[in-house]
Amino acid sequence: MLKRALSGLFLLAFLLAAAPALAIVHGKPVTETDDYAHAVVGLALTDADGLPGECTGTLLTPRIVLTAAHCVKDMKSVGVVFDFKIDGARTLPVSRIFIHPDFATTEGKLSAGDIAILFLPPHDDRTATIPLDADTSFAEGQQFTAVGFGRSIATSFKSSGVMRKAGMVATGNRTAADVALTPTGDAWPCSGDSGGPVLRKDMSGRYAIAGVMSGVYSGPIGECLTGAFMVPIEDYARWIADTVAAEGSSLAAK
């Protein structure tokens, strides 16, 4: 029977993995030539029991990260990595975390409001930013790019921690909590890709954040199957902007 995996420190409940987190299965590594290379960051996590985990986030400004709420809720520590690999990289501790008030932790189920904003202290790491997508349509066949640090092998926790990318397409299934996605090729999201951006290009070829990766289907032995789910950014754009503004900052303009 299929399960909708949301996080990994809770085993198959979320897209975060119990050791390393999910990455793009069979995904191509992100390189300096990718427009979003320095706008996507890794999250190095430690839960209340001291177990490590990983997730992904996107820079809205050099000091503000957008991610999934299930990645950071109840974590003992959250650090941000400005590198293409998490393992061994320097981490910057998060200074403040804001979780959307609608989010509820329910193992094995997707929740509305699976959005969080992380604030960082001053730093001198190389960064880029990606604006929120103004397009509010998610029709069947629309194409996206998913980016994350999750598993590159569907059954191996040890294969995560490298930033990878995959092409995705909307299935037309839109609910109050998520938009369903399916791969355009042989690569798809897995544990550790939670919180990562689902990007869409506009007519000029510029990337914008259409959604935040929130869940995947998992098989009987915990392997990541090909279905994935994103939180549509259109539903939370006002909360994101208001939260950022309340801290005295503003979002990157598209």
Side-chain angles (χ1 to χ4, degrees):
M1 184 176 72
L2 297 182
K3 280 188 176 181
R4 294 173 85 172
L6 301 183
S7 149
L9 289 172
F10 298 89
L11 231 19
L12 298 180
F14 295 98
L15 270 184
L16 163 69
L22 301 178
I24 303 289
V25 173
H26 300 154
K28 295 182 179 179
V30 173
T31 69
E32 292 283 354
T33 61
D34 290 302
D35 293 343
Y36 42 78
H38 294 284
V40 180
V41 295
L43 302 185
L45 311 168
T46 305
D47 74 1
D49 296 321
L51 295 174
E54 299 164 358
C55 267
T56 305
T58 313
L59 291 170
L60 300 177
T61 78
R63 291 178 56 190
I64 300 176
V65 178
L66 178 68
T67 189
H70 76 258
C71 285
V72 297
K73 184 176 176 60
D74 299 326
M75 290 295 109
K76 182 178 181 180
S77 67
V78 180
V80 172
V81 174
F82 297 88
D83 202 345
F84 294 163
K85 295 182 180 180
I86 292 180
D87 186 32
R90 182 182 72 86
T91 61
L92 180 67
V94 170
S95 56
R96 300 191 69 184
I97 297 175
F98 292 86
I99 292 175
H100 194 278
D102 289 346
F103 179 71
T105 303
T106 305
E107 186 171 346
K109 294 182 180 180
L110 294 171
S111 169
D114 192 10
I115 292 283
I117 297 176
L118 316 180
F119 287 84
L120 307 177
H123 64 88
D124 57 2
D125 291 275
R126 181 178 176 182
T127 63
T129 59
I130 302 179
L132 302 181
D133 196 348
D135 190 343
T136 60
S137 63
F138 294 99
E140 182 176 2
Q142 286 188 334
Q143 296 191 1
F144 306 87
T145 298
V147 186
F149 287 84
R151 298 183 211 168
S152 58
I153 301 172
T155 57
S156 172
F157 288 127
K158 295 181 179 180
S159 67
S160 64
V162 175
M163 193 193 304
R164 299 178 186 272
K165 58 186 176 181
M168 305 294 289
V169 61
T171 67
N173 180 12
R174 170 76 157 89
T175 74
D178 60 77
V179 173
L181 304 170
T182 191
T184 59
D186 62 353
W188 59 89
C190 190
S191 306
D193 293 322
S194 284
V198 180
L199 305 173
R200 174 165 46 191
K201 282 186 176 181
D202 63 16
M203 295 299 291
S204 66
R206 294 176 298 177
Y207 283 102
I209 305 169
V212 172
M213 191 60 63
S214 181
V216 297
Y217 280 109
S218 68
I221 61 171
E223 73 275 26
C224 296
L225 304 178
T226 57
F229 304 87
M230 71 171 174
V231 177
I233 215 68
E234 60 165 320
D235 294 353
Y236 304 100
R238 173 51 58 192
W239 178 81
I240 293 169
D242 289 348
T243 302
V244 170
E247 295 298 303
S249 189
S250 59
L251 299 176
K254 186 173 180 183

